[in-house]
Amino acid sequence: MYNNILHPTVSNSANSTATNKSQPSPQPQQQQASLVRNASTPRQVSIKMTEISMIPETNTKRRLFRRFLIFLLCCFCVVGAAVVIAIVISLLKSQDSDATTTTIANATVSVTVSTTINTTVSTTVSTTVSTTVSTTVSTTASTTIPVTCATGLSQTSSGTCVNTQIDFNNCGSVGYVCSSNYTSCSTGLCSSTPAVALSGAIPVPGFGGSISVDDQTVTVVFPLSITLYNYSSNSITVSSNGVLCLASCSAAYSNTALPSSTFGGPTVFGFWDDLYITSGSSQTIYYAVSGTAPNRITTFEFYESHYGGPTQYYHFQIIFYENLPNIVECLYLETYDGGASATIGVQQSGSGSSMTYLLNQALLPNNTTVIFDTSTGTFSG
């Protein structure tokens, strides 16, 4: 099997060289003649495949090496181009970020602040590129919470509400304490008259002050109900003559035995007598609600004098307990005549059940406590 290979580079010099040489032996000449038929012109040479390995391989290796170098160079170019593109994109993004930051700096900021001990501030920044920034800030603040005191009361630095007209430790102004030479604060002045005992006392509207009060009633509405004889009401009528009514009431000054038809519903006769509130003094009727539900305490404090006797003091409290319905407690701090012309007791109605502790007898010493239980019809004291 033979391949025909054309060699155009072989010239006529090969033939002349063969002519000038000495004659070789016949056998080699015949072998050469079989391979070369015409030395003066391009010739066709037949080579066996087994003889291909004898062809020089130097040029082929060089061509492969050059191609390999070109391939590597192309690869480096591609990688370099990719790196350059990546750097350009990164720079462009950086410029865009700078532009966004500048826009935010010039944006209008809307801030909503929720004030607590730990304050959270939520900030929304609106720009043309719809950029939203949310920031949380934790702060600690010392906040003074104002206390709303009832009319006639003043607030101390500790937040307590006091009546500077009657408070011994805040007499006339918050923080002014009367000396030990006095027993009370009366109309904002240190005095030797009895002191109001009720903490946070609120004067019943319309009673006391610059006008003396005689035989009048005032109704006070409370945030809780008071119960007597299983009847509950948050509207209590106060009589200046020492009486509290849960229903119909009266300002009658002349006391009688119980039950009294003058009073139509559940009534407490703390000290039913012809009492009087002298103007220009701390004399009046006070009230206060203390504690928290369901254990609140509602207290009325009567600080009065007798009609015609401005220095004859009648000072007592009537107390209701939210968690003890149908029970009322009367505490007598001071009574000028010990009850010589008074009625002390309770009644369900003008013709119903009643209990009488005292009727026109001077048997009531100071600091006496009387408790009426209208559910059982008993009392003690």
Side-chain angles (χ1 to χ4, degrees), residues 208-209 211-213 276-283 304-306 309-311:
I211 301 175
S212 296
V213 178
Y276 192 84
I277 297 175
T278 304
S279 63
S281 71
S282 294
Q283 293 182 23
E304 301 181 83
S305 58
H306 201 277
T311 58

Side-chain angles (χ1 to χ4, degrees), residues 33-215:
S34 64
L35 294 173
V36 182
R37 295 182 179 180
N38 191 358
S40 60
T41 60
R43 61 193 178 277
Q44 186 174 2
V45 181
S46 297
I47 302 175
K48 294 181 181 180
M49 291 298 294
T50 55
E51 296 174 347
I52 293 178
S53 59
M54 299 173 61
I55 300 174
E57 297 178 356
T58 303
N59 293 335
T60 301
K61 290 182 179 179
R62 288 178 179 176
R63 285 196 298 270
L64 291 175
F65 183 72
R66 283 197 300 268
R67 290 175 182 177
F68 178 71
L69 290 178
I70 293 172
F71 173 76
L72 288 180
L73 181 60
C74 292
C75 291
F76 285 130
C77 289
V78 171
V79 173
V83 172
V84 170
I85 292 173
I87 293 174
V88 170
I89 292 174
S90 177
L91 291 175
L92 290 175
K93 287 185 177 180
S94 177
Q95 291 177 355
D96 291 342
S97 176
D98 292 340
T100 301
T101 303
T102 303
T103 303
I104 293 174
N106 295 327
T108 300
V109 180
S110 175
V111 181
T112 302
V113 180
S114 176
T115 305
T116 58
I117 297 302
N118 290 323
T119 305
T120 299
V121 181
S122 178
T123 308
T124 301
V125 182
S126 177
T127 68
T128 55
V129 293
S130 300
T131 302
T132 302
V133 178
S134 179
T135 306
T136 302
V137 181
S138 178
T139 59
T140 302
S142 178
T143 305
T144 301
I145 302 176
V147 177
T148 302
C149 295
T151 303
L153 301 183
S154 301
Q155 181 184 348
T156 65
S157 57
S158 62
T160 305
C161 297
V162 297
N163 187 339
T164 57
Q165 296 297 300
I166 59 173
D167 195 304
F168 190 85
N169 296 312
N170 298 277
C171 190
S173 61
V174 174
Y176 185 83
V177 182
C178 294
S179 68
S180 58
N181 297 330
Y182 300 99
T183 58
S184 67
C185 174
S186 179
T187 64
L189 299 174
C190 297
S191 172
S192 297
T193 60
V196 176
L198 182 59
S199 177
I202 302 172
V204 170
F207 284 177
S210 59
I211 301 175
S212 296
V213 178
D214 184 32
D215 305 333

Side-chain angles (χ1 to χ4, degrees), residues 292-372:
T292 58
N295 301 303
R296 289 171 288 186
I297 301 173
T298 304
T299 304
F300 293 86
E301 182 166 331
F302 291 75
Y303 178 21
E304 301 181 83
S305 58
H306 201 277
Y307 180 79
T311 58
Q312 299 175 10
Y313 302 114
Y314 295 84
H315 192 189
F316 58 94
Q317 294 181 345
I318 300 177
I319 307 167
F320 300 93
Y321 299 92
E322 184 178 18
N323 62 343
L324 297 173
N326 295 308
I327 293 177
V328 59
E329 177 181 327
C330 298
L331 171 61
Y332 298 93
L333 302 172
E334 179 182 359
T335 56
Y336 176 76
D337 59 9
S341 59
T343 298
I344 297 175
V346 295
Q347 72 175 36
Q348 185 177 16
S349 65
S351 58
S353 300
S354 66
M355 289 181 280
T356 301
Y357 176 78
L358 182 151
L359 175 61
N360 297 329
Q361 293 176 299
L363 301 175
L364 185 66
N366 293 340
N367 299 312
T368 296
T369 298
V370 181
I371 299 175
F372 297 94

